[in-house]
Amino acid sequence: MSSYERFAHVYDELQTDIPYNLYVDWVVQHAPCSQYPTLLDIGCGTGVLSLLFAHAGYKVSGVDLSEEMLSIAAKRFADAGYQAPLYCMSMDELDGFEALDVVTITIDSLNYVVEEQAVYTTLERIYHALRDGGQLFFDVHSLFKMNEIFLDGPFTYDDGDISYVWHTAPADFEHSVTHQMTFYVRDIASELYERFDEEHLQRTFSIEQYMAWLRAIGFHDVEITADFTDEAPEYESERIFIRAVK
């Protein structure tokens, strides 16, 4: 079992504090499924949020770079009695979609794309995959979170079954961080803990840069909010929410 496959199996346990319902509310508020029925969830991971979108009435498909994550997502949908096409591809190589009503990239998934051109290409490919009037929803880490909060580590977690030590360090790109995580996962049968290590790289950009890219591509009515509110970002906002219309 590869390291990332192990991570896929503990991922949901580590995301229990994510307010998935607020992501659904955000999309429903601006793009109700009665008018925007088809939704592509990019970076869908294990499908927790994708399934909530399906429950909300959307015809959902998903994209993720991890086959292990998609395998869990497929089982999640099957167990719930839903069918959702799932595709393994990099978001900056998005292809084969057209006339979509909604595209989402949630839970800072876009921050895993660290090359400027790749971010631009991702947004451009999404633009071409949307119908006229279709909407893009995504969220990213703020500069404050990337440059200050993340570097205030290390961080630890222990619930008895899963423990980790999470070290962070500035990476080579501006406004980027390397996450180095050591996990200890308890095997129920043996009561022993298995160790595995993960290293992730994330990068963010200024709000002005995201807006400039979106407008250059052709998006309009770009709306920026922060931290699951309807308020504009402030200096210490941690999560930036961006909605744009084709």
Side-chain angles (χ1 to χ4, degrees):
M1 184 180 290
S2 69
S3 174
Y4 205 84
E5 186 174 353
R6 293 188 185 97
F7 182 65
H9 284 273
V10 302
Y11 177 82
D12 289 342
E13 293 295 326
L14 304 178
Q15 300 295 311
T16 55
D17 62 335
I18 298 293
Y20 291 105
N21 60 307
L22 296 183
Y23 281 105
V24 176
D25 292 346
W26 180 40
V27 174
V28 168
Q29 177 185 355
H30 298 285
C33 63
S34 58
Q35 301 172 49
Y36 299 84
T38 61
L39 184 150
L40 175 64
D41 188 14
I42 296 178
C44 66
T46 60
V48 174
L49 182 56
S50 304
L51 184 57
L52 290 178
F53 282 131
H55 284 318
Y58 295 95
K59 183 179 180 181
V60 175
S61 53
V63 165
D64 200 273
L65 189 57
S66 167
E67 292 182 358
E68 291 84 5
M69 293 277 196
L70 290 173
S71 177
I72 296 172
K75 184 178 186 305
R76 172 168 276 118
F77 269 91
D79 290 347
Y82 285 89
Q83 290 186 341
L86 302 173
Y87 305 92
C88 186
M89 68 176 72
S90 174
M91 65 180 75
D92 65 322
E93 297 178 348
L94 187 71
D95 191 27
F97 299 93
E98 59 182 15
L100 293 168
D101 297 302
V102 176
V103 173
T104 59
I105 319 176
T106 60
I107 316 175
D108 52 83
S109 294
L110 188 60
N111 290 134
Y112 285 93
V113 183
V114 298
E115 296 282 355
E116 291 188 43
Q117 183 57 53
V119 177
Y120 185 90
T121 298
T122 297
L123 298 174
E124 186 176 43
R125 286 178 177 264
I126 290 170
Y127 181 84
H128 291 300
L130 286 165
R131 67 165 173 84
D132 289 343
Q135 298 187 50
L136 166 63
F137 298 79
F138 67 97
D139 66 285
V140 291
H141 293 310
S142 68
L143 295 181
F144 175 75
K145 186 172 185 179
M146 191 68 75
N147 297 336
E148 299 189 38
I149 292 180
F150 274 143
L151 300 184
D152 194 27
F155 308 98
T156 60
Y157 174 88
D158 183 3
D159 70 358
D161 293 320
I162 300 172
S163 303
Y164 69 69
V165 181
W166 170 14
H167 293 275
T168 55
D172 293 337
F173 297 100
E174 185 179 22
H175 311 309
S176 67
V177 167
T178 298
H179 307 277
Q180 295 177 320
M181 295 168 281
T182 299
F183 290 89
Y184 300 89
V185 180
R186 184 170 69 93
D187 180 83
I188 297 176
S190 68
E191 295 295 321
L192 298 176
Y193 284 81
E194 178 188 13
R195 170 182 170 165
F196 67 93
D197 298 290
E198 281 284 318
E199 182 170 306
H200 292 194
L201 172 63
Q202 286 191 306
R203 183 186 187 186
T204 201
F205 298 89
S206 69
I207 293 171
E208 292 76 16
Q209 180 64 82
Y210 286 114
M211 292 180 67
W213 283 331
L214 291 167
R215 288 170 175 162
I217 290 166
F219 284 100
H220 59 91
D221 293 343
V222 180
E223 180 183 78
I224 313 290
T225 56
D227 295 335
F228 298 100
T229 72
D230 292 328
E231 303 298 321
E234 299 179 352
Y235 174 73
E236 293 189 354
S237 297
E238 297 184 24
R239 190 175 293 273
I240 307 302
F241 289 78
I242 302 176
R243 179 178 70 90
V245 180
K246 176 175 177 179

